[in-house]
Amino acid sequence: MNLADYYNKPRADIAFSYAPGKVILVGEHAVVYGSQAIAMPIDSGIRIAVLSHASSKGPVIRGVGSFFMGEISLSSDSSGPTILKEVLNYLIVAFGSKIKNLLFIVDGNLPPGSGLGSSGSFSVALVKGIYRYFSRPLDKMFEEYVLELEKIFHGSPSGIDHTVIMGEKSIGFKKEGGGCVSWPIALKKPIKLLVGVAGPHLGTKNAVANLLERKKRHGIAYQNIFNGLDSVAKEMEESLSKGYLAGVGELMNIAQGYLNALSVSTPQIEKLCSIARDRGALGAKLTGAGGGGAVIALLDGNESELLNSFKAAGYQSFITEVVG
Ligand code: PMV
């Protein structure tokens, strides 16, 4: 069937979609320069309802949860992150005037801008919701639309976020020959993580750009760190598939040392990592772009004590499980 025909068919009154958030267990930043990384979907995510509305404002994104609270449209009286106007403009380019009467209600329990994949989760759920609303079957354009949205948030992303979020499975990931490769990692044991939000981060785009500037000054040192992170990722993949979680935790600690050397850690991140390690977590590190954002600690029992210790230190914290 011609694509235009889908948009002319009778459609659902309302469509719902969901996409999970994610954690990067090893390889953030290094992945941009060709090292292996490991990413996993988690049991927190973003949910979107798509429905039509009679408004002269054009398409509207209404945030009713932790992603954002407020209403964004292309009219001047919006409240909320202005980057979402770029998202609306892109949707009109991609899907045409048919989306002009749509309202997107966005809810979910992912803290935004914390390296837990909120923008990737939002992008995947948004495109999935539009497809469902128009009863359009998933096709090869789906990923392209998601990637274009991710570029609005991230500049030139490695692709790891949307790949793990779309696939909803734990993956190894590597950029290769102008593209990227990903492969499934079968987890022998369930992974439970304590998440602590160490403060707002500067945005992935800025973190990646600032690191590039530092790398220009210290190219060999940075390359050696990326090579080190690549070996940590390979060893971690093996530990995960054997269910050797103590080893995974130790490798997370090593990865955090490298991330600190790359100057993407902060005193708050280091503090949360040391609280977690002192209280018996198997390992702890930042996840995502750093410079703030979330710390993840690998749990091995002792959950409520660890959760309380993060909360007592004054950080927004919760326990999450890997779901694929
Ligand atoms: O968007 P974040 O905060 O999860 O960071 C993504 C990981 C980076 O390696 C820093 C960037 C990228 O595109 O891979």
Side-chain angles (χ1 to χ4, degrees):
M1 191 188 285
N2 187 303
L3 271 188
D5 294 339
Y6 285 110
Y7 297 120
N8 293 325
K9 277 197 325 176
R11 62 192 62 123
D13 291 337
I14 184 164
F16 295 98
S17 60
Y18 172 82
K22 65 96 203 19
V23 289
I24 297 180
L25 230 61
V26 60
E28 49 274 271
H29 288 292
V31 71
V32 174
Y33 299 94
S35 298
Q36 180 178 324
I38 295 177
M40 300 175 172
I42 56 173
D43 63 1
S44 302
I46 286 184
R47 203 174 304 284
I48 298 188
V50 184
L51 53 159
S52 66
H53 69 149
S55 161
S56 55
K57 286 183 182 170
V60 168
I61 303 177
R62 182 182 299 156
V64 296
S66 63
F67 187 60
F68 84 104
M69 300 282 267
E71 197 164 282
I72 288 284
S73 71
L74 295 173
S75 71
S76 54
D77 59 347
S78 289
S79 64
T82 47
I83 198 163
L84 295 181
K85 288 198 179 204
E86 290 179 50
V87 168
L88 287 176
N89 277 323
Y90 173 69
L91 293 182
I92 292 171
V93 171
F95 295 99
S97 61
K98 289 285 184 285
I99 68 128
K100 282 194 171 160
N101 67 338
L102 292 187
L103 167 65
F104 304 98
I105 301 176
V106 184
D107 193 6
N109 52 359
L110 273 182
S114 57
L116 296 172
S118 60
S119 62
S121 172
F122 170 72
S123 303
V124 172
L126 189 60
V127 178
K128 211 191 270 180
I130 294 172
Y131 268 62
R132 285 195 179 152
Y133 184 80
F134 290 107
S135 308
R136 175 174 168 178
L138 291 187
D139 53 23
K140 63 178 177 14
M141 283 304 293
F142 179 77
E143 184 170 359
E144 255 179 67
Y145 295 136
V146 169
L147 188 56
E148 288 306 313
L149 291 176
E150 272 288 84
K151 284 186 194 160
I152 294 175
F153 292 103
H154 281 183
S156 51
S158 64
I160 187 168
D161 282 17
H162 81 270
T163 305
V164 66
I165 289 168
M166 278 174 51
E168 299 189 20
K169 292 272 177 237
S170 295
I171 53 166
F173 181 96
K174 200 174 166 54
K175 277 171 77 169
E176 211 171 79
C180 60
V181 285
S182 67
W183 58 96
I185 296 182
L187 304 178
K188 191 82 182 285
K189 286 198 181 146
I191 302 276
K192 214 177 228 195
L193 300 163
L194 169 62
V195 178
V197 181
H201 79 38
L202 303 167
T204 305
K205 223 188 245 184
N206 294 329
V208 170
N210 294 344
L211 190 145
L212 174 61
E213 287 310 308
R214 293 192 294 278
K215 181 178 177 290
K216 282 183 192 158
R217 294 193 292 274
H218 308 287
I220 296 173
Y222 270 58
Q223 192 52 54
N224 285 334
I225 295 173
F226 299 148
N227 294 345
L229 282 162
D230 188 66
S231 343
V232 172
K234 291 190 170 104
E235 206 179 324
M236 195 185 281
E237 181 174 349
E238 210 178 306
S239 297
L240 285 165
S241 50
K242 288 183 180 150
Y244 176 38
L245 294 191
V248 174
E250 280 176 357
L251 292 162
M252 287 170 70
N253 291 339
I254 296 173
Q256 177 57 29
Y258 280 126
L259 289 163
N260 197 352
L262 290 172
S263 300
V264 293
S265 190
T266 65
Q268 291 79 10
I269 289 171
E270 294 302 322
K271 182 174 168 191
L272 281 176
C273 288
S274 69
I275 294 175
R277 292 169 192 153
D278 284 352
R279 303 287 176 112
L282 295 175
K285 66 181 278 291
L286 68 83
T287 188
V295 164
I296 49 171
L298 182 59
L299 294 169
D300 179 31
N302 219 11
E303 289 160 21
S304 28
E305 194 199 325
L306 268 155
L307 178 62
N308 289 338
S309 64
F310 272 24
K311 285 190 172 159
Y315 295 93
Q316 182 195 348
S317 320
F318 59 98
I319 289 173
T320 189
E321 273 183 63
V322 168
V323 287

